[in-house]
Coordinates of all heavy atoms in Angstrom, one line a residue:
M1 N -2.9 -1.2 -20.7 CA -2.8 -0.2 -19.6 C -1.5 0.5 -19.7 O -0.4 -0.1 -19.8 CB -2.9 -1.0 -18.3 CG -2.7 -0.2 -17.0 SD -4.1 0.9 -16.8 CE -3.5 2.0 -15.6
T2 N -1.6 1.9 -19.7 CA -0.4 2.7 -19.8 C 0.2 2.8 -18.4 O -0.5 2.8 -17.4 CB -0.6 4.0 -20.4 OG1 -1.6 4.7 -19.6 CG2 -1.1 3.9 -21.8
T3 N 1.5 2.9 -18.3 CA 2.2 3.1 -17.0 C 1.9 4.5 -16.5 O 2.1 5.5 -17.2 CB 3.7 2.9 -17.2 OG1 3.9 1.6 -17.7 CG2 4.4 3.0 -15.9
D4 N 1.5 4.6 -15.2 CA 1.2 5.9 -14.6 C 2.4 6.3 -13.8 O 2.6 5.9 -12.6 CB 0.0 5.8 -13.7 CG -0.5 7.2 -13.2 OD1 0.4 8.1 -13.1 OD2 -1.6 7.3 -12.8
W5 N 3.4 7.0 -14.5 CA 4.6 7.3 -13.8 C 4.5 8.2 -12.6 O 5.3 8.2 -11.7 CB 5.6 7.9 -14.9 CG 6.1 6.8 -15.8 CD1 5.8 6.6 -17.1 CD2 7.0 5.8 -15.5 NE1 6.4 5.5 -17.6 CE2 7.2 5.0 -16.6 CE3 7.7 5.4 -14.3 CZ2 8.0 3.8 -16.6 CZ3 8.5 4.3 -14.3 CH2 8.6 3.5 -15.5
D6 N 3.5 9.1 -12.6 CA 3.2 10.0 -11.5 C 3.0 9.1 -10.2 O 3.6 9.4 -9.2 CB 2.0 10.9 -11.7 CG 2.4 12.1 -12.6 OD1 3.6 12.3 -12.8 OD2 1.4 12.8 -12.9
V7 N 2.1 8.2 -10.4 CA 1.8 7.3 -9.2 C 2.9 6.4 -8.8 O 3.3 6.3 -7.7 CB 0.5 6.5 -9.5 CG1 0.2 5.5 -8.4 CG2 -0.7 7.4 -9.7
I8 N 3.6 5.8 -9.8 CA 4.8 5.0 -9.5 C 5.8 5.8 -8.8 O 6.4 5.4 -7.8 CB 5.3 4.3 -10.8 CG1 4.3 3.3 -11.3 CG2 6.7 3.8 -10.6 CD1 4.7 2.7 -12.6
G9 N 6.1 7.0 -9.3 CA 7.1 7.9 -8.7 C 6.7 8.2 -7.3 O 7.6 8.2 -6.4
Y10 N 5.4 8.4 -7.1 CA 5.0 8.7 -5.7 C 5.2 7.6 -4.8 O 5.7 7.7 -3.7 CB 3.5 9.1 -5.7 CG 2.9 9.3 -4.4 CD1 3.1 10.6 -3.7 CD2 2.1 8.4 -3.7 CE1 2.6 10.8 -2.5 CE2 1.6 8.6 -2.5 CZ 1.8 9.8 -1.9 OH 1.3 10.1 -0.6
V11 N 4.9 6.4 -5.2 CA 5.1 5.2 -4.4 C 6.5 4.9 -4.1 O 6.9 4.7 -2.9 CB 4.4 3.9 -5.0 CG1 4.8 2.6 -4.2 CG2 2.9 4.1 -5.1
I12 N 7.4 4.9 -5.1 CA 8.8 4.6 -4.9 C 9.6 5.7 -4.3 O 10.7 5.4 -3.9 CB 9.5 4.1 -6.2 CG1 9.5 5.2 -7.3 CG2 8.8 2.9 -6.8 CD1 10.3 4.8 -8.5
S13 N 9.0 6.8 -4.1 CA 9.7 7.9 -3.4 C 9.7 7.7 -1.9 O 10.4 8.4 -1.1 CB 9.2 9.3 -3.7 OG 7.9 9.4 -3.2
S14 N 9.0 6.6 -1.4 CA 9.0 6.3 0.0 C 9.2 4.8 0.2 O 8.4 4.0 -0.3 CB 7.6 6.7 0.6 OG 7.4 6.1 1.8
D15 N 10.2 4.4 0.9 CA 10.4 3.0 1.2 C 9.3 2.4 2.0 O 8.9 1.2 1.8 CB 11.7 2.8 2.1 CG 13.0 3.1 1.3 OD1 12.9 3.1 0.0 OD2 14.0 3.3 1.9
H16 N 8.6 3.2 2.8 CA 7.5 2.8 3.6 C 6.3 2.4 2.7 O 5.7 1.4 2.8 CB 7.1 3.8 4.6 CG 8.1 4.1 5.7 ND1 8.2 5.2 6.4 CD2 9.2 3.3 6.1 CE1 9.2 5.2 7.2 NE2 9.8 4.0 7.0
R17 N 6.0 3.3 1.7 CA 4.9 3.0 0.8 C 5.2 1.8 -0.1 O 4.3 1.0 -0.3 CB 4.7 4.3 -0.1 CG 4.0 5.4 0.6 CD 3.5 6.5 -0.3 NE 4.6 7.3 -0.9 CZ 4.9 8.5 -0.5 NH1 4.4 9.0 0.6 NH2 5.9 9.1 -1.1
V18 N 6.5 1.6 -0.5 CA 6.8 0.4 -1.3 C 6.6 -0.8 -0.4 O 6.0 -1.8 -0.9 CB 8.3 0.5 -1.8 CG1 8.8 -0.8 -2.3 CG2 8.5 1.6 -2.8
A19 N 7.1 -0.8 0.8 CA 7.0 -2.0 1.7 C 5.5 -2.3 2.0 O 5.1 -3.5 1.9 CB 7.7 -1.7 3.0
V20 N 4.7 -1.3 2.2 CA 3.3 -1.5 2.6 C 2.5 -2.0 1.3 O 1.8 -3.0 1.4 CB 2.6 -0.2 3.1 CG1 1.1 -0.4 3.2 CG2 3.2 0.1 4.5
L21 N 2.7 -1.4 0.2 CA 2.0 -1.8 -1.0 C 2.4 -3.2 -1.4 O 1.6 -4.1 -1.7 CB 2.3 -0.9 -2.2 CG 1.4 -1.1 -3.4 CD1 0.0 -0.9 -3.1 CD2 1.9 -0.2 -4.6
G22 N 3.7 -3.5 -1.3 CA 4.2 -4.9 -1.6 C 3.6 -5.9 -0.6 O 3.3 -7.0 -1.1
R23 N 3.5 -5.6 0.6 CA 2.9 -6.5 1.6 C 1.5 -6.7 1.3 O 1.0 -7.9 1.3 CB 3.1 -6.0 3.0 CG 2.4 -6.8 4.1 CD 2.6 -8.3 4.1 NE 1.7 -9.0 5.0 CZ 0.5 -9.4 4.7 NH1 0.0 -9.1 3.5 NH2 -0.2 -10.0 5.5
L24 N 0.7 -5.7 1.0 CA -0.7 -5.8 0.7 C -1.0 -6.5 -0.6 O -2.0 -7.1 -0.8 CB -1.4 -4.5 0.8 CG -1.5 -3.9 2.2 CD1 -2.1 -2.5 2.2 CD2 -2.3 -4.8 3.1
A25 N 0.0 -6.5 -1.5 CA -0.1 -7.2 -2.8 C -0.1 -8.7 -2.5 O -0.7 -9.5 -3.3 CB 1.1 -6.9 -3.7
E26 N 0.4 -9.2 -1.3 CA 0.4 -10.6 -1.0 C -0.9 -11.0 -0.4 O -1.2 -12.2 -0.3 CB 1.5 -10.8 0.1 CG 2.9 -10.6 -0.5 CD 4.0 -10.6 0.6 OE1 3.7 -11.0 1.7 OE2 5.1 -10.2 0.3
G27 N -1.7 -10.0 0.1 CA -3.0 -10.4 0.7 C -3.4 -9.3 1.7 O -2.6 -8.6 2.2
P28 N -4.7 -9.2 2.0 CA -5.3 -8.3 2.9 C -4.7 -8.4 4.3 O -4.3 -9.5 4.7 CB -6.8 -8.5 2.9 CG -7.0 -9.3 1.7 CD -5.8 -10.0 1.4
A29 N -4.6 -7.3 5.1 CA -4.0 -7.4 6.4 C -4.4 -6.1 7.2 O -4.8 -5.1 6.6 CB -2.5 -7.5 6.4
T30 N -4.3 -6.2 8.5 CA -4.4 -5.1 9.4 C -3.1 -4.3 9.4 O -2.1 -4.9 9.1 CB -4.8 -5.5 10.8 OG1 -3.7 -6.3 11.3 CG2 -6.1 -6.3 10.9
P31 N -3.2 -3.0 9.8 CA -1.9 -2.3 9.9 C -0.9 -2.9 10.8 O 0.3 -2.9 10.5 CB -2.4 -0.9 10.4 CG -3.7 -0.8 9.9 CD -4.3 -2.1 9.9
T32 N -1.4 -3.5 11.9 CA -0.5 -4.1 12.9 C 0.2 -5.3 12.2 O 1.5 -5.5 12.4 CB -1.2 -4.6 14.1 OG1 -1.9 -3.5 14.7 CG2 -0.3 -5.2 15.1
R33 N -0.5 -6.1 11.5 CA 0.0 -7.3 10.8 C 1.1 -6.8 9.7 O 2.2 -7.4 9.6 CB -1.1 -8.1 10.1 CG -0.7 -9.2 9.2 CD -0.5 -10.5 10.0 NE 0.9 -10.7 10.1 CZ 1.4 -11.5 11.0 NH1 0.7 -12.2 11.8 NH2 2.7 -11.7 11.0
V34 N 0.7 -5.8 9.0 CA 1.7 -5.3 8.0 C 2.9 -4.8 8.6 O 4.0 -5.1 8.2 CB 1.0 -4.1 7.2 CG1 2.0 -3.4 6.2 CG2 -0.2 -4.6 6.3
A35 N 2.8 -4.0 9.7 CA 3.9 -3.5 10.5 C 4.8 -4.6 10.9 O 6.1 -4.6 10.8 CB 3.5 -2.7 11.7
D36 N 4.3 -5.7 11.5 CA 5.0 -6.9 11.9 C 5.8 -7.5 10.7 O 7.0 -7.8 10.8 CB 4.2 -7.9 12.5 CG 3.7 -7.5 13.9 OD1 4.2 -6.5 14.5 OD2 2.7 -8.2 14.4
D37 N 5.1 -7.7 9.6 CA 5.6 -8.3 8.4 C 6.7 -7.6 7.7 O 7.7 -8.2 7.2 CB 4.5 -8.7 7.4 CG 3.6 -9.8 7.9 OD1 3.9 -10.4 8.9 OD2 2.5 -9.9 7.3
V38 N 6.6 -6.2 7.7 CA 7.6 -5.4 7.0 C 8.6 -4.7 8.0 O 9.4 -4.0 7.5 CB 7.0 -4.4 6.0 CG1 6.2 -5.1 5.0 CG2 6.2 -3.4 6.7
E39 N 8.4 -5.0 9.3 CA 9.3 -4.5 10.3 C 9.4 -2.9 10.3 O 10.4 -2.3 10.3 CB 10.7 -5.1 10.2 CG 10.7 -6.6 10.4 CD 12.0 -7.2 10.3 OE1 13.0 -6.5 10.0 OE2 12.1 -8.5 10.4
L40 N 8.2 -2.3 10.3 CA 8.0 -0.9 10.5 C 7.1 -0.6 11.7 O 6.4 -1.5 12.1 CB 7.4 -0.3 9.2 CG 8.2 -0.2 7.9 CD1 7.3 0.3 6.8 CD2 9.4 0.7 8.1
S41 N 7.1 0.6 12.1 CA 6.2 0.9 13.2 C 4.8 1.0 12.7 O 4.6 1.3 11.5 CB 6.6 2.3 13.9 OG 6.4 3.3 13.0
V42 N 3.8 0.8 13.5 CA 2.4 0.9 13.1 C 2.1 2.3 12.6 O 1.4 2.5 11.6 CB 1.4 0.5 14.2 CG1 0.0 0.7 13.8 CG2 1.7 -1.0 14.6
S43 N 2.7 3.3 13.2 CA 2.4 4.7 12.8 C 2.9 5.0 11.4 O 2.3 5.6 10.6 CB 3.0 5.7 13.8 OG 4.4 5.7 13.8
H44 N 4.1 4.4 11.0 CA 4.6 4.6 9.7 C 3.7 3.8 8.7 O 3.4 4.3 7.6 CB 6.0 4.0 9.5 CG 7.1 4.9 10.0 ND1 8.0 4.6 11.0 CD2 7.4 6.2 9.7 CE1 8.8 5.6 11.3 NE2 8.4 6.6 10.5
V45 N 3.3 2.6 9.1 CA 2.4 1.8 8.2 C 1.0 2.6 8.0 O 0.5 2.7 6.9 CB 2.2 0.4 8.8 CG1 1.0 -0.3 8.0 CG2 3.5 -0.4 8.7
S46 N 0.5 3.1 9.1 CA -0.8 3.8 9.0 C -0.7 5.0 8.1 O -1.6 5.3 7.3 CB -1.3 4.2 10.4 OG -1.6 3.1 11.2
R47 N 0.4 5.8 8.2 CA 0.6 6.9 7.4 C 0.7 6.5 5.9 O 0.1 7.1 5.0 CB 1.8 7.7 7.8 CG 1.6 9.2 7.8 CD 2.8 10.0 8.3 NE 3.9 9.2 8.9 CZ 4.2 9.3 10.2 NH1 3.6 10.2 11.0 NH2 5.1 8.6 10.7
A48 N 1.5 5.4 5.6 CA 1.6 4.9 4.3 C 0.3 4.4 3.7 O 0.0 4.7 2.6 CB 2.7 3.8 4.2
I49 N -0.5 3.7 4.5 CA -1.8 3.3 4.1 C -2.7 4.5 3.7 O -3.4 4.5 2.7 CB -2.5 2.4 5.1 CG1 -1.8 1.0 5.1 CG2 -4.0 2.2 4.9 CD1 -2.2 0.1 6.3
G50 N -2.7 5.5 4.6 CA -3.5 6.7 4.3 C -3.1 7.3 3.0 O -4.0 7.7 2.2
S51 N -1.8 7.4 2.7 CA -1.4 8.1 1.4 C -1.7 7.2 0.2 O -2.1 7.6 -0.9 CB 0.0 8.5 1.5 OG 0.9 7.4 1.6
L52 N -1.6 5.9 0.4 CA -1.9 4.9 -0.7 C -3.4 4.9 -0.9 O -3.8 4.7 -2.1 CB -1.4 3.5 -0.3 CG 0.2 3.4 -0.3 CD1 0.6 2.0 0.3 CD2 0.8 3.6 -1.7
R53 N -4.2 5.1 0.1 CA -5.7 5.1 -0.1 C -6.0 6.4 -0.9 O -6.9 6.3 -1.7 CB -6.4 5.2 1.3 CG -6.6 3.9 1.9 CD -7.4 4.0 3.2 NE -8.8 4.0 2.9 CZ -9.8 4.3 3.7 NH1 -9.5 4.5 5.0 NH2 -11.0 4.3 3.4
E54 N -5.4 7.5 -0.6 CA -5.6 8.7 -1.4 C -5.4 8.5 -2.9 O -6.1 9.1 -3.7 CB -4.8 9.9 -0.8 CG -5.3 10.4 0.5 CD -4.3 11.5 1.1 OE1 -3.5 12.0 0.3 OE2 -4.4 11.7 2.3
K55 N -4.4 7.7 -3.2 CA -4.1 7.5 -4.6 C -4.9 6.3 -5.2 O -4.7 5.8 -6.3 CB -2.6 7.1 -4.8 CG -1.7 8.3 -4.4 CD -1.7 9.4 -5.4 CE -0.6 10.4 -5.0 NZ -0.8 11.6 -5.8
E56 N -5.8 5.8 -4.3 CA -6.7 4.6 -4.7 C -5.9 3.4 -5.0 O -6.3 2.6 -5.9 CB -7.6 5.0 -5.8 CG -8.6 6.2 -5.5 CD -9.4 6.7 -6.6 OE1 -9.2 6.3 -7.8 OE2 -10.3 7.5 -6.3
L57 N -4.8 3.2 -4.3 CA -4.0 1.9 -4.5 C -4.4 0.9 -3.5 O -4.1 -0.3 -3.7 CB -2.5 2.3 -4.5 CG -2.1 3.3 -5.4 CD1 -0.6 3.7 -5.2 CD2 -2.3 2.9 -6.9
V58 N -4.9 1.4 -2.4 CA -5.3 0.5 -1.2 C -6.7 0.9 -0.8 O -7.1 2.1 -0.9 CB -4.3 0.8 -0.1 CG1 -4.7 0.2 1.2 CG2 -2.9 0.2 -0.4
E59 N -7.4 -0.1 -0.3 CA -8.8 0.2 0.2 C -9.1 -0.5 1.5 O -8.5 -1.5 1.8 CB -9.8 -0.2 -0.9 CG -9.8 -1.7 -1.1 CD -10.7 -2.1 -2.3 OE1 -11.6 -1.4 -2.7 OE2 -10.5 -3.3 -2.8
L60 N -10.0 0.1 2.2 CA -10.4 -0.5 3.5 C -11.5 -1.5 3.2 O -12.4 -1.2 2.4 CB -11.0 0.6 4.4 CG -11.5 0.2 5.8 CD1 -10.4 -0.3 6.6 CD2 -12.2 1.4 6.4
L61 N -11.3 -2.7 3.7 CA -12.2 -3.8 3.4 C -13.3 -4.1 4.4 O -14.1 -5.0 4.2 CB -11.4 -5.1 3.2 CG -10.3 -5.0 2.1 CD1 -9.5 -6.3 2.1 CD2 -10.9 -4.8 0.7
V62 N -13.3 -3.3 5.5 CA -14.3 -3.4 6.5 C -15.1 -2.0 6.6 O -14.6 -1.0 6.0 CB -13.7 -3.8 7.9 CG1 -13.1 -5.1 7.8 CG2 -12.8 -2.7 8.4
P63 N -16.2 -1.9 7.3 CA -16.9 -0.6 7.4 C -16.0 0.5 7.9 O -15.2 0.3 8.8 CB -18.0 -0.9 8.4 CG -18.3 -2.4 8.2 CD -16.9 -3.0 8.0
E64 N -16.1 1.7 7.3 CA -15.3 2.8 7.7 C -15.4 3.2 9.2 O -14.4 3.6 9.7 CB -15.8 4.0 6.8 CG -14.9 5.2 6.8 CD -13.6 5.0 6.1 OE1 -13.6 4.5 5.0 OE2 -12.5 5.3 6.7
D65 N -16.5 2.9 9.8 CA -16.6 3.3 11.2 C -16.0 2.3 12.2 O -15.9 2.6 13.4 CB -18.1 3.5 11.6 CG -19.0 2.3 11.4 OD1 -18.4 1.3 11.0 OD2 -20.2 2.5 11.6
R66 N -15.5 1.2 11.7 CA -14.8 0.3 12.6 C -13.4 0.8 13.0 O -12.7 1.3 12.2 CB -14.6 -1.1 11.9 CG -13.9 -2.1 12.8 CD -13.7 -3.4 12.2 NE -14.9 -4.1 12.0 CZ -15.0 -5.4 11.5 NH1 -13.9 -6.0 11.1 NH2 -16.1 -6.0 11.3
R67 N -13.2 0.8 14.3 CA -11.9 1.3 14.8 C -10.9 0.2 15.0 O -9.7 0.4 14.9 CB -12.1 2.1 16.1 CG -12.9 3.4 15.9 CD -11.9 4.4 15.2 NE -12.7 5.4 14.4 CZ -12.5 5.6 13.1 NH1 -11.5 5.0 12.5 NH2 -13.2 6.4 12.5
K68 N -11.3 -1.0 15.4 CA -10.4 -2.1 15.7 C -10.5 -3.1 14.5 O -11.6 -3.3 14.0 CB -10.7 -2.7 17.0 CG -10.3 -1.9 18.2 CD -8.9 -2.4 18.6 CE -8.4 -1.6 19.8 NZ -7.1 -1.2 19.7
G69 N -9.4 -3.7 14.2 CA -9.5 -4.8 13.2 C -9.8 -4.3 11.8 O -10.5 -4.9 11.0
R70 N -9.2 -3.1 11.5 CA -9.4 -2.6 10.2 C -8.5 -3.3 9.2 O -7.3 -3.3 9.3 CB -9.1 -1.1 10.2 CG -10.1 -0.3 10.9 CD -9.7 1.1 11.2 NE -9.7 2.0 10.0 CZ -10.6 2.8 9.7 NH1 -11.8 2.9 10.3 NH2 -10.5 3.6 8.6
V71 N -9.1 -3.9 8.2 CA -8.4 -4.8 7.2 C -8.3 -4.0 5.9 O -9.3 -3.5 5.4 CB -9.1 -6.1 7.0 CG1 -8.3 -7.0 6.0 CG2 -9.2 -6.9 8.4
Y72 N -7.1 -3.9 5.4 CA -6.9 -3.2 4.1 C -6.4 -4.2 3.0 O -5.8 -5.2 3.3 CB -5.8 -2.2 4.3 CG -6.2 -1.0 5.2 CD1 -6.0 -1.1 6.6 CD2 -6.9 0.1 4.7 CE1 -6.4 -0.1 7.4 CE2 -7.3 1.1 5.5 CZ -7.1 1.0 6.8 OH -7.5 2.0 7.7
G73 N -6.8 -3.9 1.8 CA -6.3 -4.7 0.7 C -5.9 -3.8 -0.5 O -6.2 -2.6 -0.5
I74 N -5.2 -4.4 -1.4 CA -4.8 -3.6 -2.6 C -5.9 -3.6 -3.6 O -6.7 -4.5 -3.8 CB -3.5 -4.3 -3.1 CG1 -2.8 -3.4 -4.1 CG2 -3.8 -5.7 -3.7 CD1 -1.4 -3.9 -4.5
T75 N -6.0 -2.4 -4.3 CA -7.0 -2.3 -5.4 C -6.5 -2.8 -6.7 O -5.3 -3.1 -6.8 CB -7.4 -0.8 -5.6 OG1 -6.3 -0.1 -6.0 CG2 -8.0 -0.2 -4.3
S76 N -7.3 -2.9 -7.7 CA -6.8 -3.4 -9.0 C -5.8 -2.4 -9.5 O -4.8 -2.7 -10.1 CB -8.0 -3.7 -10.0 OG -8.8 -2.5 -10.1
K77 N -6.1 -1.1 -9.3 CA -5.1 0.0 -9.7 C -3.8 -0.2 -9.0 O -2.7 -0.1 -9.5 CB -5.7 1.3 -9.4 CG -4.7 2.5 -9.8 CD -5.4 3.8 -9.5 CE -4.4 5.0 -9.7 NZ -4.9 6.3 -9.3
G78 N -3.9 -0.5 -7.7 CA -2.7 -0.8 -6.9 C -1.9 -2.0 -7.4 O -0.7 -2.0 -7.4
E79 N -2.7 -3.0 -7.8 CA -2.0 -4.2 -8.3 C -1.2 -3.9 -9.6 O -0.1 -4.3 -9.8 CB -3.0 -5.3 -8.5 CG -2.6 -6.6 -8.0 CD -3.8 -7.6 -7.9 OE1 -4.6 -7.4 -7.0 OE2 -3.9 -8.5 -8.8
E80 N -1.9 -3.1 -10.5 CA -1.2 -2.7 -11.7 C 0.1 -1.9 -11.4 O 1.1 -2.1 -12.1 CB -2.2 -1.9 -12.6 CG -3.3 -2.7 -13.2 CD -4.4 -1.8 -13.8 OE1 -4.2 -0.6 -14.0 OE2 -5.4 -2.4 -14.2
V81 N 0.0 -1.0 -10.5 CA 1.1 -0.1 -10.2 C 2.2 -1.0 -9.6 O 3.4 -0.9 -9.9 CB 0.7 1.0 -9.2 CG1 1.9 1.7 -8.6 CG2 -0.1 2.0 -9.9
W82 N 1.8 -1.9 -8.6 CA 2.8 -2.8 -8.0 C 3.5 -3.7 -9.1 O 4.7 -3.9 -9.0 CB 2.2 -3.6 -6.9 CG 3.2 -4.6 -6.3 CD1 3.2 -5.9 -6.3 CD2 4.3 -4.1 -5.5 NE1 4.3 -6.4 -5.6 CE2 5.0 -5.3 -5.1 CE3 4.8 -2.9 -5.1 CZ2 6.2 -5.3 -4.3 CZ3 6.0 -2.9 -4.3 CH2 6.7 -4.1 -4.0
N83 N 2.7 -4.2 -10.0 CA 3.3 -5.1 -11.1 C 4.2 -4.3 -11.9 O 5.3 -4.8 -12.3 CB 2.1 -5.7 -11.9 CG 1.4 -6.8 -11.1 OD1 1.9 -7.3 -10.2 ND2 0.2 -7.0 -11.5
D84 N 3.9 -3.0 -12.2 CA 4.8 -2.2 -13.0 C 6.1 -2.0 -12.2 O 7.2 -2.0 -12.8 CB 4.2 -0.8 -13.3 CG 3.3 -0.8 -14.5 OD1 3.5 -1.8 -15.3 OD2 2.6 0.1 -14.7
I85 N 6.0 -1.7 -10.9 CA 7.2 -1.4 -10.1 C 8.1 -2.7 -10.1 O 9.3 -2.6 -10.2 CB 6.8 -1.0 -8.6 CG1 6.2 0.4 -8.6 CG2 7.9 -1.1 -7.7 CD1 5.5 0.8 -7.3
R86 N 7.5 -3.8 -9.9 CA 8.2 -5.1 -9.9 C 8.8 -5.4 -11.3 O 10.0 -5.7 -11.4 CB 7.3 -6.3 -9.5 CG 6.7 -6.2 -8.1 CD 7.6 -6.6 -7.0 NE 8.3 -7.9 -7.2 CZ 7.8 -9.1 -7.0 NH1 6.6 -9.2 -6.5 NH2 8.5 -10.2 -7.2
A87 N 8.1 -5.2 -12.3 CA 8.5 -5.5 -13.7 C 9.7 -4.6 -14.1 O 10.6 -5.1 -14.8 CB 7.4 -5.4 -14.7
K88 N 9.7 -3.4 -13.6 CA 10.7 -2.5 -14.0 C 11.8 -2.5 -12.9 O 12.7 -1.6 -13.0 CB 10.1 -1.1 -14.2 CG 9.2 -1.1 -15.5 CD 8.5 0.2 -15.6 CE 7.6 0.3 -16.8 NZ 6.7 -0.8 -17.1
D89 N 11.7 -3.3 -12.0 CA 12.7 -3.5 -10.9 C 13.0 -2.2 -10.2 O 14.1 -1.8 -10.0 CB 14.0 -4.0 -11.5 CG 14.8 -4.8 -10.5 OD1 14.2 -5.2 -9.4 OD2 16.0 -5.0 -10.7
L90 N 11.9 -1.5 -9.8 CA 12.0 -0.2 -9.2 C 12.0 -0.3 -7.6 O 12.2 0.7 -7.0 CB 10.9 0.8 -9.7 CG 10.9 1.0 -11.2 CD1 9.7 1.8 -11.6 CD2 12.2 1.8 -11.6
A91 N 11.6 -1.4 -7.1 CA 11.5 -1.6 -5.6 C 12.9 -2.0 -5.1 O 13.6 -2.8 -5.8 CB 10.4 -2.6 -5.3
E92 N 13.2 -1.6 -4.0 CA 14.5 -2.0 -3.4 C 14.6 -3.5 -3.1 O 13.7 -4.1 -2.6 CB 14.7 -1.3 -2.0 CG 14.8 0.2 -2.2 CD 16.1 0.7 -2.9 OE1 17.1 0.3 -2.4 OE2 16.0 1.4 -3.9

């Protein structure tokens, strides 16, 4: 697997995206749980999740039409990107 520097650069250009991706790498969670764990506001976490979903690094694990209890997890692509970020010591 080659390193996707565009995606890595995108993730590490935001502390919020790094925190959210790192937290979801530990296991699936709701935005509220992630916000509590990484000490960010839910709105920051939701925005980060949205942008990470656009890059296919994070996915919704429950039906799209569910409004409460939306659980997100990291995709295999997200895991590869996170492992590259960690291996190259690019996360704060």
Side-chain angles (χ1 to χ4, degrees):
M1 176 69 194
T2 58
T3 301
D4 189 337
W5 287 107
D6 280 351
V7 175
I8 289 173
Y10 178 77
V11 173
I12 65 174
S13 68
S14 162
D15 290 343
H16 297 157
R17 287 192 287 263
V18 170
V20 170
L21 190 62
R23 169 54 188 85
L24 290 175
E26 296 169 11
T30 62
T32 304
R33 175 85 254 163
V34 173
D36 288 346
D37 290 348
V38 299
E39 298 178 2
L40 289 172
S41 71
V42 175
S43 64
H44 281 123
V45 168
S46 293
R47 223 178 346 246
I49 285 173
S51 62
L52 292 169
R53 278 185 83 188
E54 285 173 18
K55 298 286 186 191
E56 299 175 352
L57 303 176
V58 167
E59 63 189 340
L60 180 62
L61 301 176
V62 297
E64 193 68 51
D65 58 4
R66 182 182 289 182
R67 290 287 151 236
K68 286 266 180 228
R70 290 166 71 96
V71 178
Y72 293 88
I74 193 169
T75 62
S76 55
K77 178 182 175 183
E79 225 164 286
E80 288 169 9
V81 167
W82 181 246
N83 288 338
D84 274 344
I85 289 170
R86 299 278 312 273
K88 293 169 176 55
D89 207 19
L90 300 171
E92 294 292 306

